[in-house]
Amino acid sequence: MKITGWRSLKTLHYWHRPIGDVNGTVTSGITEVPLLVLETDEGVSGIAPGGHADMARIFPALEGQDPRAVTALYDRMQDWVFKSGHAGSVFGAIGVADMALWDLKAKLADQPLWRLLGARDRFVPGYASGLDYPLELDELLALHTRYAECGFTAFKLKGGLDVEQDLERLLAVREVYCRNTAEPAVMIDVNESMSAKQAVRYVHRLESALDLSWIEEPVRRWDATGHALIRQQTRCAVATGENLTGIEQYAPLLREQAVDILQSGMCWGITHFLRVANLAHAFSLSVSPVGYNTNPVAHAAAAIPNHLSCEVQDLTFPVGLRVDQRIEDGGIILGDAPGLGISIDEAAISQLKNEGSWTQPQGPHVRPRDAGQRLSLRNLAYEKPFRNR
C-alpha cells in the first residue's frame, strides 16, 4: 500500500456568536476549516482537519510510503525540513498529515482510532470553553447554560484585560454549573497577554473571591522563568504549551518547574500529543489537549494514563462534516466508526460561499501593542475590546 497524493478542501464553521480572546475577535462567528484528504493506491483516504498550507513542502516525505508506518513517517516529515526547522506553519502541516495517517491506519484496521491506540473507555472527560471573550454577560450565561445542560462541571473563560470584569463573569458562570456540582472547576485563559508580575497580581485578585483551578498561558509561551514565578506565587495551577511546536520546546518549562498541566494544540496532531503526554507522565504531570473542530485528538486522550480534561469549544461541527461522537455527560463520547470517525459531504461544502473571517486582520492572531505592559489590572479604555479594530 502506498500514499499517492493529497487534496485540500475547505468548509466553514458557524459558531452563531462572536468568538475570540484579548488578542482580537471574529465578530461574524464564521471561521474557515481546512481539510486534508490523503490518498492511497488502494482507494482508502485519510481525512484530517487543520491548516496545512505547507503540505506541498512535506509531501515528498510521504509520497510512495506505506501510510501504516505513522510514527516513522512523522519523524521523516520533520527530517525533511530539518535545516529550516519544523516550527510554525510547517509544524501545522506535519500535524494535520499525521492525523490523516492515523485516520488511515485505523480505517485499514477497521477500528475507531481510540480503540487502535489502546483505550479501554470511549468516554473522554472535558471542560466547556467557548472562545467567549467578546460576549456580553447575558450571552455568556446563555452559552454556558447550554454547556451545563450537556453535563459539564468544569469551564474556562477568556480574560485578561479587566480583572473586575473577569471576576464578575467567572462568578456568574460558576453559578450556572452549580446545578451539576457543588464545586465547579474554574479556569481562566489570558492568551499570553501579561507580564509575570501582572499575572501574579491578577490571580491573587481572582483567588480572593473564588477557587481558581488554573490560569492558562499567562505570559509568553517561551517564558519558563515567568511561568515558574507565577506557579510559585499563586495557589492555582499553571497550564501552558498549546502553542509550542515541537517536543523540545517543553524542556525549559520542565527544567524550571514552571508548569502543572502540559497542553498541546489539537491542530499539531496525534503523535505530537502522545509524545507530550509521555513526557508529562515522566514528570508526574497531567496533560490537556486544546480544542479544535471535530476534537480529533480526543481519540488519543482516551488512551493515555495522565489525561486530565479535553477542551470542548463548541457543541456543533463544521458544515458538511459528519463526526461520530457525542458531547454528553460532561465530555466526549467517541463512536465506533473507523479512524477519526469523520466523513465529508463534498457536495455540501462546495455550495458554501467564501465568507469565513478567521484570517482577517481583526481576528485573534494579532498581539495588542500594550500586551504585558499595563500597570493596571483594570483597563478602562475598552468597553468591549477589539470589536472594531
Side-chain angles (χ1 to χ4, degrees):
M1 185 176 200
K2 294 180 180 180
I3 298 168
T4 56
W6 61 279
R7 294 186 293 129
S8 277
L9 302 171
K10 186 179 74 173
T11 185
L12 298 175
H13 187 58
Y14 289 86
W15 299 79
H16 302 293
R17 62 183 188 271
I19 60 169
D21 56 41
V22 296
N23 297 306
T25 66
V26 176
T27 56
S28 69
I30 304 171
T31 57
E32 298 94 350
V33 182
L35 301 167
L36 174 68
V37 180
L38 199 59
E39 300 170 329
T40 69
D41 60 354
E42 295 189 13
V44 184
S45 297
I47 298 170
H52 52 276
D54 285 297
M55 188 64 194
R57 186 177 172 196
I58 63 168
F59 182 70
L62 300 178
E63 190 170 18
Q65 301 295 311
D66 189 322
R68 292 168 291 191
V70 180
T71 53
L73 291 177
Y74 182 83
D75 291 322
R76 181 176 169 84
M77 287 187 284
Q78 292 203 346
D79 290 346
W80 207 259
V81 295
F82 87 101
K83 272 289 187 180
S84 57
H86 56 251
S89 60
V90 174
F91 195 70
I94 291 172
V96 174
D98 174 72
M99 285 191 281
L101 288 168
W102 278 110
D103 184 52
L104 263 171
K105 186 179 179 76
K107 284 175 176 174
L108 293 169
D110 196 28
Q111 293 183 342
L113 182 56
W114 62 268
R115 190 169 296 284
L116 182 74
L117 290 173
R120 188 169 59 90
D121 192 341
R122 69 180 68 231
F123 178 74
V124 181
Y127 68 89
S129 173
L131 305 176
D132 45 32
Y133 192 73
L135 299 184
E136 302 294 345
L137 184 57
D138 59 340
E139 298 170 313
L140 184 70
L141 294 175
L143 171 65
H144 283 276
T145 296
R146 293 194 291 274
Y147 275 117
E149 290 169 352
C150 293
F152 286 96
T153 58
F155 72 94
K156 183 178 79 182
L157 299 188
K158 297 289 190 179
L161 281 183
D162 186 331
V163 68
E164 299 304 326
Q165 175 181 280
D166 293 348
L167 182 56
E168 177 188 13
R169 289 158 71 91
L170 287 167
L171 289 171
V173 174
R174 184 184 183 279
E175 287 301 310
V176 172
Y177 290 94
C178 282
R179 70 181 66 184
N180 295 337
T181 176
E183 295 292 335
V186 180
M187 289 87 84
I188 190 77
D189 183 358
V190 300
N191 291 98
E192 304 182 64
S193 64
M194 296 182 174
S195 67
K197 277 291 189 179
Q198 184 184 5
V200 170
R201 292 165 55 210
Y202 176 84
V203 172
H204 283 176
R205 175 67 185 105
L206 297 182
E207 289 185 330
S208 71
L210 55 79
D211 182 20
L212 188 65
S213 297
W214 84 44
I215 184 169
E216 183 172 326
E217 287 196 320
V219 293
R220 296 311 300 271
R221 63 198 72 172
W222 53 75
D223 186 0
T225 302
H227 280 97
L229 175 71
I230 297 161
R231 183 172 181 263
Q232 292 161 6
Q233 296 191 11
T234 60
R235 297 196 308 270
C236 71
V238 172
T240 193
E242 69 172 280
N243 286 306
L244 299 182
T245 51
I247 193 73
E248 72 285 349
Q249 295 178 18
Y250 290 82
L253 293 168
L254 297 170
R255 209 164 34 235
E256 297 289 333
Q257 298 183 27
V259 61
D260 298 287
I261 298 155
L262 286 190
Q263 295 179 303
S264 171
M266 285 204 186
C267 56
W268 306 138
I270 303 292
T271 299
H272 173 70
F273 173 76
L274 291 172
R275 291 181 177 182
V276 170
N278 284 334
L279 179 63
H281 196 43
F283 286 82
S284 298
L285 298 176
S286 296
V287 291
S288 177
V290 173
Y292 189 63
N293 293 285
T294 75
N295 308 308
V297 175
H299 286 264
I304 61 171
N306 54 333
H307 173 251
L308 179 64
S309 189
C310 181
E311 181 179 32
V312 177
Q313 293 182 340
D314 201 29
L315 299 175
T316 63
F317 301 116
V319 175
L321 298 188
R322 183 182 181 279
V323 186
D324 189 22
Q325 62 182 239
R326 304 192 312 278
I327 299 174
E328 298 175 4
D329 301 328
I332 301 166
I333 301 175
L334 299 167
D336 289 316
L340 291 170
I342 302 171
S343 58
I344 304 175
D345 182 345
E346 295 196 33
I349 66 175
S350 69
Q351 302 301 313
L352 292 171
K353 297 179 180 179
N354 186 17
E355 56 179 336
S357 54
W358 187 253
T359 56
Q360 290 182 4
Q362 70 269 26
H365 306 297
V366 182
R367 185 169 170 81
R369 288 180 59 187
D370 64 348
Q373 297 179 347
R374 291 182 288 114
L375 295 176
S376 171
L377 294 179
R378 189 164 192 179
N379 193 333
L380 300 179
Y382 302 96
E383 291 186 3
K384 184 53 63 178
F386 307 111
R387 275 207 172 187
N388 299 305
R389 265 178 29 168

